[in-house]
Amino acid sequence: MFAQRFSATRRGARLARRLATHRLDLWHLPYGSPVSDTVTLVVAELAANAVLHGRVPGRDFELRLTYDRTVGVVRVEVSDTHPAHPEPPEPAGHPEVADGGRGLLLVEAVADRWGVTGRTGPGKIVWAECAVRGPLL
């Protein structure tokens, strides 16, 4: 498992993405592999949402990654302290998607499952699970 708190800034989101990619490589899910690219995209989108929509001044967000080798799943969890839950993504072609709001649409497209749960204390956890399939190289 990997868990770390980041400042709720664009820089924090970028660092979360970079450290997630590094952790995946340490778990033998190498840079540039389909699973690394997928999980990195999910981390990038969820971290960006935590910074843009889940930001509470003076509060950080947390990234937690787990890799269950027995079932072949990487789970991404991003928690923030904002009480609002994200809206389900609008379908492609919807007017709101034209100006933004693509993050959860991308997560829904590339992750095998995703959702939102409560957490101890204020806020929520937005999570996604990505299956590790086939050869990694």
Side-chain angles (χ1 to χ4, degrees):
M1 182 183 64
F2 170 82
Q4 185 160 336
R5 297 189 71 76
F6 298 92
S7 64
T9 63
R10 292 173 58 184
R11 179 180 234 168
R14 183 174 62 243
L15 183 57
R17 177 183 52 80
R18 291 179 61 112
L19 290 179
T21 305
H22 179 68
R23 174 55 56 178
L24 293 169
D25 192 58
L26 293 174
W27 286 340
H28 304 289
L29 302 170
Y31 298 112
S33 67
V35 70
S36 178
D37 289 348
T38 298
V39 172
T40 299
L41 175 63
V42 168
V43 169
E45 294 301 334
L46 295 184
N49 282 352
V51 168
L52 294 172
H53 307 294
R55 184 174 183 277
V56 173
R59 301 285 178 102
D60 297 336
F61 73 92
E62 181 179 75
L63 169 65
R64 183 178 300 263
L65 296 174
T66 54
Y67 177 26
D68 186 341
R69 287 177 176 83
T70 59
V71 294
V73 171
V74 175
R75 183 177 174 99
V76 177
E77 296 179 357
V78 174
S79 61
D80 62 57
T81 56
H82 198 280
H85 285 221
E87 296 293 323
E90 297 290 349
H94 191 276
E96 289 183 27
V97 175
D99 292 330
R102 294 180 194 93
L104 288 178
L105 196 59
L106 287 171
V107 170
E108 187 172 76
V110 300
D112 293 284
R113 297 180 339 129
W114 78 275
V116 182
T117 59
R119 56 172 266 185
T120 303
K124 78 274 189 190
I125 298 169
V126 182
W127 58 269
E129 293 179 344
C130 301
V132 177
R133 298 181 183 96
L136 298 176
L137 297 175

